[in-house]
Amino acid sequence: MGKRIDVQDLHVYYGSFLAVEGVSMTIEPRSVTAFIGPSGCGKSTFLKTLNRMHEVTPGGRVEGKVLLDDEDLYGANVDPVAVRRTVGMVFQRPNPFPTMSIADNVTAGLRLNGVKDKKVLAEKAEKSLRGANLWDEVKDRLNKPGAGLSGGQQQRLCIARAIAVEPQVLLMDEPCSALDPISTGKVEDLIEELKDDYTVVIVTHNMQQAARVSDKTAFFNLKETGKPGHLIEMDDTQKIFNNPSERATEDYISGRFG
Amino acid sequence: MSTEVSAAERPLRGSGRELRGRSESASRKLRNTLATIVMWGAFLVALIPLIWIMWTVLSKGFSTMLDIVWWQKDQSGVGAAGFDKMIRGARHAIVGTLLMSIATSIIAVPLAVFTAIYLVEYGRGKLARAISFMVDILSGVPSIVAALFIYAVWVTTFGWRLMPVACSLALALLMIPVVTRSTEEMLKLVPNELRDASYALGVPKWKTIVKVVLPTSFSGILTGVLLGFARVAGETAPLLLLANYTPFLQQNLFSGNGMAALPTLINANVQFMSADKISADRVWGAACTLILIVLAINLLGRLVGRFTKVKN
Ligand SMILES: Nc1ncnc2c1ncn2[C@@H]1O[C@H](COP(=O)(O)OP(=O)(O)OP(=O)(O)O)[C@@H](O)[C@H]1O
Ligand SMILES: [Mg+2]
C-alpha cells in the first residue's frame, strides 16, 4: 500500500480566481510530507486537489496533472468518487456523523459503499480503531454516538473512519489545530505509525509538528494577498529547517521560531 | 507580559467610564423602563383575542367533546323526526379531516422534500432561482384560488366527478410551499463538513444525501411536515368547493359521495345556530375538536423536534 504522487505544473482555480499557481512536486510512497506556509497561501486548496475534493466547491477546477503511480487523477475517464476511495482525507475540525454510533462512524465508508456483512464490518471497525489508537478508549461503548467523544477522540475516530476504507494515501488538513497537546501527541504518534502503510500528507501551522512528524517539507508562500500562492521549495525536513535553499523559507521559519 | 497587564486593566477602565456617565445612565434606565412597559402592554393586548377565542371555544364546546358519542357517531339521520333532539357525533368529520390531511401529506411531502433537496443540494443558476421564486408565489396563493384551480382542472377540463381526493390536491398546493421552505431550512442546517466527510470516503453525492444529510435533518423535516399538516387540517375553502359535506361516515377518498370535515360540519350547522341550541353545540364542539387536533399535531411536531434533535 501507499502510492507515489506526482504533481506536474498544477494550477488551481476558484472560478476565475487563480488560488495556487504552477506547483510541481513528487511525494514518495510511505512517507510523511508536511505542507507549511502562511495563511491563505493555498495549502488546503492544493491538498484538496490531491483527492479531487477541490471540485466539490462550486467553481473549483484545476489545470495540470496529478499522477498517482502514473495514473492521472484528472484523466477523462477517472471517477472522482473512486479517487476519493484511494486518497482519504481528515479535516481540520473533527466531523463524525452525528446520527451514527462510534462503530457505524468507523465503518461508514464501507457501509455506504455497499458492504453489508456484519462480521466483516465489526472486524474492520476494531482494526481501524486499533489503527487509530482509539480502541481501548471506546471498546465498551461502540454503540454510543460518535459525537459524544472528546474532540481529540473524535479526531482519531475520523482518522479511523478514513483508514477503514483502506486508502493508499491519507491527506490531513491541520488535524491537530483543534486539539490539546496530549491528543496532538497521540495523533502525531499515529501519523508515525500510519507511515508504514500509507503515504501521508499533512498541512500544519505548527513548525515543531512539521519537524517532528515529516520526512519532507514543502513550503508554500504568496507574494501578497489576492495573488496566487505557489510552492517555494520542497526538501528533506531536516534541510528545510536547518539549511533551506530559499531566503523566503528561512525568513518564514525563523520568524516563527524567534 | 505587557499585554497581560493591559488586559487586566480593561475591566477597571470600563467601570470608570460607567461611573462618570451616571446622569446619562439614569435617562437610559428611564427609557429602558418605558420600552419594557410598552412591549409588555403590546404583548398583553395581543394576548386578549387569543385568550378570548380559546375561552369562547372551550367554554361552549368542551363539554360536547367529553361525550364519547361525539367520537363514535356521525350525523346520519339528520332531518329525520326526533333527530333534532340529539347531538350525535362528529366521527365522520374527524375521520374526514384526518383522511384528507393524510392524503394531502402523501401527495405534498415527497414533492416538497424533493424540491427542497434539489434547491439546497443541486440547484444552481437560473432554474433553481426560478423554482425558488415559484415556491414563493405558491405560498402566496389564497386557498380559495388553489381550490378554484383544482376545480377548473378536475371538473371543467377533465369532466371528472368531484371526489375528496381532489380536495387533497388543492390542500397539497397549499402544503407544498410550507414544507419545501421548512425542509430547505433544515437541509441548510446540516454542516457542509458532514457532506465533505462523506465525499472524502468515496461516497457518491446522492448516497451522501440519502444516508447522511437526510438522517441528520430528519427530525427537523418531520417537524415541518407536522406543522404543515396542522395548517391544512384547519383549511376550509378547498373543502367548501371540492368536498361536499355529508352527514355520513365516509372513508373512501375516491367516492363521489362527498366527505365531511370539521370545518364543513361547522358550516353545515352554523345557519341554525341562533335558533337551535343543539346546532350551536355541534358548531362549538366541532370547533373545539379542530383546535384540539391542530394543537395535538403542533405539539407532536415540537416534541419530535425537541427529543430527536441531533447534537453537533
Ligand atoms: N471556497 C472558496 N472560494 C473562493 N476562494 C477561496 C475558497 N476557499 C479558499 N479560497 C481562497 O483561496 C486561497 C487559498 O486558501 P486556502 O484555504 O487554501 O489557504 P490555506 O493556506 O489553507 O490557509 P490557512 O492556513 O489559513 O488554512 C485564499 O486566497 C482564499 O481566499
Ligand atoms: Mg487551510
Side-chain angles (χ1 to χ4, degrees), chain B residues 41-213:
Chain B
F43 171 65
L44 289 178
V45 170
L47 216 56
I48 290 171
L50 178 67
I51 293 175
W52 199 344
I53 292 175
M54 291 304 278
W55 172 247
T56 314
V57 175
L58 284 177
S59 65
K60 298 192 182 209
F62 195 70
S63 59
T64 308
M65 254 188 357
L66 290 180
D67 190 353
I68 187 83
V69 171
W70 180 254
W71 303 91
Q72 285 174 335
K73 292 270 194 312
D74 58 14
Q75 294 282 315
S76 49
V78 68
F83 186 85
D84 54 354
K85 300 286 177 303
M86 293 178 279
I87 193 172
R88 302 290 289 272
R91 188 187 187 88
H92 61 315
I94 296 166
V95 168
T97 288
L98 291 178
L99 273 182
M100 280 189 273
S101 304
I102 289 169
T104 303
S105 307
I106 291 172
I107 299 165
V109 170
L111 286 171
V113 169
F114 280 120
T115 307
I117 290 175
Y118 172 76
L119 287 176
V120 175
E121 305 290 338
Y122 292 95
R124 304 256 177 279
K126 281 214 182 77
L127 181 61
R129 248 173 293 143
I131 290 177
S132 186
F133 182 60
M134 287 193 283
V135 172
D136 275 341
I137 293 187
L138 201 54
S139 64
V141 170
S143 54
I144 188 81
V145 176
L148 209 54
F149 166 71
I150 296 294
Y151 187 89
V153 173
W154 197 272
V155 177
T156 316
T157 308
F158 290 109
W160 292 336
R161 272 193 317 175
L162 273 184
M163 316 171 180
V165 75
C167 183
S168 291
L169 273 179
L171 292 172
L173 288 180
L174 305 172
M175 191 174 183
I176 285 171
V178 177
V179 177
T180 304
R181 285 286 173 245
S182 66
T183 304
E184 259 186 280
E185 291 312 311
M186 291 305 133
L187 294 177
K188 281 183 196 154
L189 281 182
V190 176
N192 269 328
E193 280 128 50
L194 293 184
R195 297 184 179 88
D196 286 351
S198 180
Y199 298 150
L201 291 170
V203 180
K205 182 165 183 169
W206 67 269
K207 215 162 198 177
T208 299
I209 293 169
V210 174
K211 299 281 184 164
V212 175
V213 177

Side-chain angles (χ1 to χ4, degrees), chain B residues 223-234:
Chain B
T223 306
V225 167
L226 288 174
L227 294 181
F229 185 99
R231 162 134 160 49
V232 296

Side-chain angles (χ1 to χ4, degrees), chain B residues 198-278:
Chain B
S198 180
Y199 298 150
L201 291 170
V203 180
K205 182 165 183 169
W206 67 269
K207 215 162 198 177
T208 299
I209 293 169
V210 174
K211 299 281 184 164
V212 175
V213 177
L214 286 180
T216 307
S217 52
F218 178 77
S219 74
I221 294 174
L222 188 59
T223 306
V225 167
L226 288 174
L227 294 181
F229 185 99
R231 162 134 160 49
V232 296
E235 199 56 72
T236 307
L239 295 169
L240 293 177
L241 257 70
L242 299 165
N244 290 325
Y245 175 74
T246 156
F248 307 105
L249 179 62
Q250 225 297 46
Q251 309 192 53
N252 185 356
L253 285 163
F254 299 93
S255 104
N257 299 328
M259 186 178 267
L262 286 164
T264 43
L265 172 63
I266 295 176
N267 189 53
N269 280 281
V270 78
Q271 46 192 322
F272 312 115
M273 225 173 122
S274 51
D276 177 14
K277 164 84 173 61
I278 289 183

